Amino acid sequence: MASDAGVPPTEHNHPDAPVDPAQQVVVRSWKAPIAFAIFAVASVLLFIVFGRDGDTTFRLSTDSDVIQLPQAVLPTRGTGIVLSIVLVALALLSFYLVASARKVRLWYSAIFAVLFLVAFLTWAAAGQTLPVPGLLIGTVGLSVPLVFGALGGVISERVGVVNVAIEGQLLGGAFVSAVIASVVGNPYVGLIGAIIAGMLVSFVLAAFSIKYWVDQVIVGVVLNVLVTGLTSFLYSTVLTEDAPLLNSPPRFDVIEIPLLSQIPIIGPTLFRQTIIVYLVYIAVAAVYIGLFHTKWGLRLRAVGEHPQAADTVGIKVNTTRFWNVALAGAIAGLGGAYFTLGSVGSFQKEMTAGMGYIALAAVIFGRWDPIRATLAALLFGFATNLQYVLGVIGSPVPSEFMLMLPYVVTIVAVAGLVGRVRGPAASGIPYASR
């Protein structure tokens, strides 16, 4: 076989030679157009064929708002027809864009999703009043543990360790924060306990996956089962024996930020919250800036993408992985504290209810990016809260469908709307330091 080692570069084999556009291979992803088409057909069937009569009222302000916005009243059937036609047009346009070798941008998907949501809410709440501030406030509350868990998952997977143990970290943080805050009588001490609990679960994950090369997914699942069983046992045998002492933690008070809390819709949703919710804002910004604008983030991503190259320049790969997995667990532990110190007010068996797995789905949906993962977590939180709100106002939507809605959104989002995704190259692969 002839070798090209001694062949001088020509216009055909020179690495910098221009590429003939006719020889380029265009990769088209039809996932987004197909997903849009499915939702467009569903909108025609639901909002036109099975359309409902009456008017839907959207209440945009709470009684405590300084500025009271007027209620928005939409005709149910007319709104469904108009928005269904727009959705069909957007779906057809997405097919044209992909056929023309153009990308379906994120903003395009966002507009489609918002229009479908408005049409669905108008149809589901026909003849009723839908409290928009309450829907959004509940969304933020349900999303807090998801966001903390997703941030922990982003850090862990970016450094090369698949963090399936988010569920265990959330549950451990919830249990320890409840006990410590109850005994000490101070929720801030309970918050520190939640951080430590999340780190302890992560230590086990890091030790087995980094040092002993045990399959990371298996370790994560085992840890989730272990923490669930341990906390359930301690709840039944210890906490229930003396609940006033061990399971009655003080909750954080709501802190209203002056001026900002008075903004209609946004104010009650974002700026009338507890300290844990405000920590979410700080954590999202800190993780994003840290990952993409600091030396720490550069080393972390290098270890997760190409550990051999990182080792060559003097970065201790396994040490970096170990401590960043511990940091990820600490952040997830904060999310667990929200259950007991910011929401429920006591620990209950399996109170995380699989949110750790949804947080892991948010990591994938968000393409291992803190901002995108946060938006995905908010989407899942919205789907969860929507079932409660529609149930309260007496929507005809079957309760069984509403119960499975958050998980349907998770499957659709991960499988259809994010297109091709590629995680960190070395995620889940153990590394032997030289």
Side-chain angles (χ1 to χ4, degrees), residues 334-374:
L334 281 174
Y338 179 78
F339 289 101
T340 52
L341 303 181
S343 178
V344 179
S346 63
F347 180 82
Q348 304 295 328
K349 280 186 178 182
E350 302 180 26
M351 65 187 310
T352 53
M355 281 194 171
Y357 297 104
I358 298 181
L360 187 61
V363 174
I364 302 172
F365 185 26
R367 300 187 181 188
W368 295 268
D369 178 271
I371 303 298
R372 291 173 180 264
T374 298

Side-chain angles (χ1 to χ4, degrees), residues 158-159 299-313 315 317 321 424-427 431:
R158 281 281 187 174
V159 83
R299 292 187 174 188
L300 183 150
R301 288 183 287 121
V303 168
E305 289 289 346
H306 204 307
Q308 293 87 352
D311 196 2
T312 301
V313 298
I315 299 175
V317 174
R321 285 184 170 181
S427 180
Y431 179 75

Side-chain angles (χ1 to χ4, degrees), residues 15-34:
D16 296 327
V19 180
D20 185 359
Q23 297 178 351
Q24 290 182 330
V25 178
V26 178
V27 179
R28 296 182 176 92
S29 176
W30 296 94
K31 283 187 176 182
I34 292 173

Side-chain angles (χ1 to χ4, degrees), residues 3 57 65 102 108 116 134 151 192 211 213 226-227 256 269 274 298-299 323-324 345 358 369-370 388 399 418:
S3 174
T57 303
D65 289 343
R102 302 178 188 177
Y108 193 98
F116 182 85
L151 292 177
I192 297 174
K211 184 175 178 57
W213 291 20
L226 174 63
V227 175
E256 294 190 13
T269 303
T274 63
L298 179 61
R299 292 187 174 188
W323 289 111
N324 280 286
I358 298 181
D369 178 271
Y388 302 139
S399 59
V418 297

Side-chain angles (χ1 to χ4, degrees), residues 75-299:
T76 303
R77 186 175 293 274
T79 302
I81 294 173
V82 172
L83 291 181
S84 295
I85 294 173
V86 175
L87 291 173
V88 171
L90 290 176
L92 294 175
L93 180 58
S94 69
F95 277 98
Y96 171 77
L97 291 174
V98 174
S100 303
R102 302 178 188 177
K103 290 184 178 181
V104 178
R105 301 292 180 180
L106 180 62
W107 60 265
Y108 193 98
S109 301
I111 292 176
F112 187 95
V114 170
L115 292 178
F116 182 85
L117 177 62
V118 172
F120 177 77
L121 292 178
T122 305
W123 176 85
Q128 302 292 333
T129 298
L130 188 69
V132 175
L135 179 61
L136 297 179
I137 291 171
T139 296
V140 172
L142 290 170
S143 300
V144 168
L146 294 177
V147 174
F148 277 123
L151 292 177
V154 168
I155 292 176
S156 184
E157 295 208 25
R158 281 281 187 174
V159 83
V161 177
V162 179
N163 192 357
V164 184
I166 298 175
E167 178 81 2
Q169 293 158 4
L170 290 173
L171 194 58
F175 179 85
V176 173
S177 63
V179 174
I180 293 180
S182 299
V183 174
V184 178
N186 189 322
Y188 291 95
V189 180
L191 200 62
I192 297 174
I195 295 174
I196 296 174
M199 290 183 68
L200 290 176
V201 177
S202 291
F203 283 158
V204 180
L205 172 65
F208 279 94
S209 62
I210 297 173
K211 184 175 178 57
Y212 299 107
W213 291 20
V214 180
D215 186 277
Q216 297 172 8
V217 175
I218 294 177
V219 175
V221 173
V222 170
L223 280 174
N224 290 337
V225 175
L226 174 63
V227 175
T228 300
L230 183 61
T231 54
S232 298
F233 171 76
L234 293 176
Y235 172 80
S236 300
T237 58
V238 179
L239 267 60
T240 54
E241 295 296 325
D242 195 352
L245 175 64
L246 299 176
N247 198 19
S248 299
R251 292 194 294 177
F252 286 106
D253 296 326
V254 173
I255 302 174
E256 294 190 13
I257 298 180
L259 298 180
L260 294 178
S261 62
Q262 304 303 324
I263 301 175
I265 300 179
I266 298 177
T269 303
L270 300 179
F271 304 112
R272 295 180 192 171
Q273 298 289 353
T274 63
I275 187 66
I276 303 182
V277 179
Y278 295 130
L279 286 176
V280 168
Y281 309 156
I282 297 173
V284 172
V287 172
Y288 177 79
I289 294 173
L291 276 180
F292 300 112
H293 299 283
T294 66
K295 182 186 295 185
W296 164 75
L298 179 61
R299 292 187 174 188

